[in-house]
Amino acid sequence: MTSQESETPREKTKQSRRTVGQFLQKIKLSILERTRPYRRIHYWTKKAFDELLAIRITRFFIQLIMFLLLNWVAITWILGYDPLLSSPLLLGIGWLVPTFGYIPLPYVMPHGNPAGTGVGFLDALTLIGASGVFPYLALGIALLVPAILGRSFCGWICPFGFVQDVCSLTPIRTRTPSRQTNDNLSSIKYVILGITLLFTVWLGFWTFLGIDEAFRTTLGPFATAFWSVLSPEGTFFVLIPLLALQGHISPYITRWGLMLSWGPLIWFRLIFLVIILLLALFVRRPYCRWICPTGALLGLFSRFSLLGISRRPAECPGGSCESQRCQKECPMAVKVMEAPWGRLYNGDCILCLDCRAKCPRNAIEVVFP
Amino acid sequence: MNRRIIAIALVCIGLSAIAFGLALGQHEIIQYWLQRISDAYVFPPPLS
């Protein structure tokens, strides 16, 4: 009598059920495996953003629109009228432009821009602080926006970041400085931020006590907002437009006599701006990486941001990745591969999503919170 | 998790500070500066 013949009907039924169960399990696993890419939410967002809209093109147009809106007065000068207020199609969004002026947002825009419709929050902080009032509004923006959106304003809205991005569009091959150089130069922005805040607190204190006249006279142009007087964005958005409006610079006439009358501060600012723009041809966003005090202050709080990016361990091979394009394409030289799994907490990340767009394995996704 | 708690705390403090700043009229200081600049340069002078 063989073992086959010795099995009772109940055991036979159990075995057949087990076999059917295994078969169904195999089918289930096969379906799951085949439909895996389509079931992931990030697959669809990746499709939508990267292939239909293309992150970099979308970001470029958003930056361009914000650049124009933040310098909207210049558009009205060129056209001779305000299309946002006079066009019936655009009437509905006309209120947006003057609204920029009421709330300082975390981008770089100096307060003296003759064509400007808004002020960056660091300028607002120094202006309000230096007038002897505690800058609740600007500090509130400095806490609120990076805690929710990180430094996405730097990557998607900042007009001077856009100027640098345009410089890096030239066919000149961008270079990546060594890690040591990058880290050393990155500390400059914290020094500038410290000096700016120190000046603001000092001046605000004297103004509060009502004995600021002598101090302001000594500081001269630095008394209003310390960094705006030296910064390249101040030169780009304030000094050059003012020189043009006052007839010092003209596309048709070279006025050497007037140019020779410029003081050393004006020449220093122009040379500083030219250096930054030339550097932006070779290195992506050099000003944001190394010098910008606005970015430094935002970076202190954006490392706790609710919006961020993460690497998926299932797709990202980590250090053994052969391309490492996420790191190579990062305009802020963030070491994405060295971040812990699950979430990137880095004060330098501007959420431009270039790493996501360039990752060949779709391993990077946007997460909130 | 701790980072999320810190982020929510920052949001709460930030919102309170903004509300306080707006109540004190700090946006008017910024408006004053923008207005001063735009009053000075309503239209550009001729280029020549």
Side-chain angles (χ1 to χ4, degrees):
Chain A
M1 201 173 174
T2 59
S3 62
Q4 189 77 21
E5 289 167 344
S6 67
E7 281 179 354
T8 58
R10 182 177 283 183
E11 282 172 341
K12 277 186 181 173
T13 317
K14 269 188 182 175
Q15 196 175 353
S16 65
R17 274 184 190 165
R18 206 176 296 133
T19 317
V20 171
Q22 282 171 352
F23 177 69
L24 289 175
Q25 185 68 18
K26 270 186 184 174
I27 291 175
K28 186 182 165 188
L29 285 174
S30 166
I31 292 170
L32 284 174
E33 184 59 33
R34 281 166 197 278
T35 59
R36 192 166 64 94
Y38 304 98
R39 284 183 291 105
R40 291 194 311 243
I41 292 171
H42 97 114
Y43 176 86
W44 294 107
T45 55
K46 179 90 181 160
K47 275 273 185 203
F49 282 101
D50 297 358
E51 292 172 19
L52 300 178
L53 295 171
I55 285 174
R56 291 183 85 159
I57 297 171
T58 313
R59 191 163 68 89
F60 181 84
F61 278 105
I62 290 174
Q63 284 177 305
L64 178 64
I65 290 166
M66 290 309 297
F67 182 88
L68 294 177
L69 285 176
L70 285 168
N71 294 283
W72 193 250
V73 181
I75 305 292
T76 61
W77 287 344
I78 293 165
L79 297 177
Y81 67 100
D82 190 343
L84 280 184
L85 294 177
S86 54
S87 164
L89 284 175
L90 298 171
L91 196 61
I93 59 166
W95 60 273
L96 273 174
V97 174
T99 307
F100 289 131
Y102 288 98
I103 304 290
L105 289 172
Y107 43 66
V108 161
M109 178 54 80
H111 66 277
N113 183 357
T117 55
V119 177
F121 87 95
L122 191 69
D123 253 64
L125 192 146
T126 49
L127 277 176
I128 298 170
S131 58
V133 181
F134 189 81
Y136 290 105
L137 182 61
L139 271 180
I141 297 288
L143 294 174
L144 177 74
V145 179
I148 298 173
L149 298 174
R151 283 182 64 183
S152 48
F153 269 70
C154 298
W156 292 72
I157 288 176
C158 179
F160 199 65
F162 174 65
V163 171
Q164 292 172 83
D165 282 347
V166 168
C167 289
S168 67
L169 287 177
T170 52
I172 298 170
R173 193 169 66 87
T174 52
R175 290 157 205 282
T176 311
S178 72
R179 189 173 187 164
Q180 186 67 33
T181 312
N182 193 60
D183 290 350
N184 289 341
L185 290 172
S186 293
S187 54
I188 294 173
K189 61 187 174 195
Y190 296 106
V191 174
I192 292 171
L193 175 66
I195 294 171
T196 307
L197 293 181
L198 192 70
F199 258 82
T200 306
V201 171
W202 199 5
L203 192 57
F205 184 66
W206 290 119
T207 310
F208 181 73
L209 293 177
I211 47 173
D212 58 314
E213 278 304 315
F215 193 44
R216 283 184 187 273
T217 311
T218 312
L219 285 176
F222 296 96
T224 312
F226 167 72
W227 179 239
S228 294
V229 182
L230 293 174
S231 65
E233 74 266 16
T235 311
F236 190 88
F237 290 111
V238 180
L239 181 64
I240 292 177
L242 286 183
L243 286 174
L245 289 170
Q246 290 165 3
H248 284 244
I249 303 172
S250 162
Y252 309 113
I253 302 165
T254 311
R255 293 175 169 165
W256 297 107
L258 284 175
M259 286 172 77
L260 289 172
S261 70
W262 293 349
L265 183 62
I266 292 181
W267 283 109
F268 170 80
R269 292 180 65 175
L270 289 171
I271 291 167
F272 189 24
L273 174 68
V274 170
I275 289 171
I276 292 292
L277 294 182
L278 283 177
L279 207 57
L281 297 174
F282 301 98
V283 183
R284 291 190 67 191
R285 293 216 177 201
Y287 180 72
C288 309
R289 277 192 202 191
W290 302 323
I291 299 168
C292 182
T294 304
L297 186 54
L298 290 174
L300 294 178
F301 304 113
S302 71
R303 60 195 68 202
F304 305 106
S305 163
L306 296 173
L307 181 72
I309 58 169
S310 77
R311 280 190 301 150
R312 295 166 58 86
E315 278 83 9
C316 181
S320 60
C321 178
E322 65 282 353
S323 70
Q324 302 204 354
R325 291 190 70 184
C326 55
Q327 289 188 166
K328 289 175 187 166
E329 296 290 333
C330 180
M332 298 297 287
V334 175
K335 299 293 172 196
V336 183
M337 305 288 287
E338 293 168 20
W341 295 111
R343 186 67 190 261
L344 172 73
Y345 290 105
N346 191 305
D348 285 334
C349 177
I350 57 171
L351 289 170
C352 63
L353 303 185
D354 279 4
C355 53
R356 179 187 162 92
K358 294 293 173 183
C359 176
R361 296 166 186 267
N362 300 346
I364 292 173
E365 61 182 342
V366 181
V367 286
F368 186 90
Chain B
M1 189 63 190
N2 285 336
R3 286 179 186 266
R4 284 183 194 171
I5 292 168
I6 294 170
I8 291 164
L10 286 174
V11 169
C12 295
I13 297 168
L15 278 174
S16 313
I18 290 168
F20 204 59
L22 288 173
L24 288 175
Q26 292 192 346
H27 57 288
E28 287 168 8
I29 300 176
I30 301 156
Q31 269 300 302
Y32 163 76
W33 279 100
L34 283 175
Q35 198 62 45
R36 210 176 80 160
I37 299 291
S38 61
D39 283 352
Y41 299 101
V42 176
F43 283 100
L47 290 170
S48 58

